[in-house]
Amino acid sequence: MRRKAIQWINTPVLSEAIFRYEKGLLPNTMKLWLEQVLEIKPEKSIQKSSKK
């Protein structure tokens, strides 16, 4: 089993990252980081809706 490293994350930075994730404005590396930190599954629908 893989151990998780403890991470300190600034709340305003995390809030902005979530906002940009929802709008589809994050670079792919940041998107992957956020999905890993929050343990969420990637949603293809977010990218599709932002490209319309």
Side-chain angles (χ1 to χ4, degrees), residues 2 5 10 12 19 30 32 46 48-49:
R2 206 168 110 193
N10 186 319
F19 174 78
M30 285 294 294
L32 294 174
I46 290 175
K48 288 179 183 177
S49 64

Side-chain angles (χ1 to χ4, degrees), residues 17-34:
I18 293 169
F19 174 78
R20 291 182 184 196
Y21 179 85
E22 291 174 342
K23 298 289 183 181
L25 301 174
L26 279 182
N28 195 46
T29 54
M30 285 294 294
K31 179 178 170 256
L32 294 174
W33 171 80
L34 187 63

